[in-house]
Amino acid sequence: MSGQRRSWRAARPVLWTVLVAGTLVYLAIAAVVWRHAAEALAHPPEQPADAALILGNRAYLKGKPNPCLTGRVDTGIALANAGRVKQLVLSGGVDKEDGRIEAEVMERHARAEGYAGPLLLEPASTSTRLNLAMSSPMLKAAGVRSVIVVSEPYHLWRVERLVRASGFDKEFDVQYAAADTSCWRRWGMVFKGALREPLAVVNNAFNGYLH
């Protein structure tokens, strides 16, 4: 036991150093994401586009369509109603938490909200990176040349880097729209999705997905 205690005492400074360093990195990324979110909200897209690409999120929350997701759709509808986009593209596959297909949940919400325009569904992607990769052939087949990518404010910093890293911006003229959802208005950077975002940034960077 005494040997184990000595080993623990020797390891504690290293563990504390790792913990403090990790916390500082997390906070630094969160600050960058927060600042970019504020800028995205303050600067909506200025040019019209062929389509709004709405990125998926958890489909249901507490037995109802997730407002963090439906709020993204509402932003796409607002762009369409304002004449900014000609159609909506809904990207999101099976939600592993409840088995629903995110794109289909978004489609039902859009129609329930009175959107009668054209819709394209990409119902297979399970990550932001795959949202872009799997939507790209569909967009090209539909003759889309310009896209407004719609997601929540905290998400767009990473989305922009995934767009550049994947070459999506070489295929399309890309703008971004921050969805001011009820989740964001209520919690900002302290709700669950935003709290996880710095970890997603680290994960994507570690896997070489970010530029």
Side-chain angles (χ1 to χ4, degrees):
M1 290 296 291
S2 61
Q4 291 178 345
R5 283 198 294 269
R6 283 195 298 271
S7 297
W8 167 242
R9 289 195 191 99
R12 272 190 300 184
V14 175
L15 293 174
W16 275 112
T17 299
V18 170
L19 178 61
V20 170
T23 301
L24 291 175
V25 168
Y26 177 93
L27 293 174
I29 295 172
V32 170
V33 169
W34 174 272
R35 185 164 57 249
H36 187 273
E39 291 174 356
L41 284 166
H43 299 93
E46 295 182 352
Q47 302 298 323
D50 295 331
L53 172 59
I54 303 171
L55 306 184
N57 196 347
R58 180 176 177 178
Y60 267 61
L61 186 65
K62 297 181 180 178
K64 298 179 181 179
N66 180 10
C68 307
L69 176 63
T70 58
R72 299 182 185 191
V73 179
D74 292 339
T75 297
I77 294 172
L79 289 168
N81 290 341
R84 293 283 185 174
V85 297
K86 300 173 184 177
Q87 62 184 313
L88 304 184
V89 181
L90 313 175
S91 179
V94 176
D95 187 330
K96 60 185 178 184
E97 294 176 314
D98 61 24
R100 291 179 171 89
I101 295 176
E102 294 168 4
E104 294 178 355
V105 173
M106 288 192 277
E107 178 188 27
R108 287 195 294 271
H109 177 75
R111 295 308 189 196
E113 289 297 305
Y115 175 76
L119 281 172
L120 291 174
L121 271 65
E122 183 287 293
S125 58
T126 55
S127 69
T128 303
R129 183 175 63 88
L130 292 177
N131 287 151
L132 299 170
M134 293 185 171
S135 296
S136 181
M138 179 184 301
L139 292 166
K140 286 189 282 188
V144 170
R145 294 176 179 271
S146 55
V147 178
I148 297 175
V149 180
V150 179
S151 193
E152 282 183 273
Y154 72 86
H155 194 201
L156 289 178
W157 188 87
R158 180 162 58 98
V159 171
E160 290 186 23
R161 278 141 190 86
L162 287 169
V163 162
R164 291 201 294 268
S166 66
F168 188 87
D169 58 342
K170 293 180 174 61
E171 302 287 347
F172 310 98
D173 179 20
V174 184
Q175 300 177 82
Y176 303 90
D180 190 15
T181 69
S182 60
C183 298
W184 176 262
R185 288 193 300 273
R186 184 176 181 185
W187 298 108
M189 283 295 289
V190 298
F191 77 92
K192 187 176 179 181
L195 286 173
R196 288 195 307 235
E197 185 63 14
L199 302 179
V201 169
V202 171
N203 176 270
N204 283 187
F206 181 80
N207 284 287
Y209 300 148
L210 299 184
H211 277 187

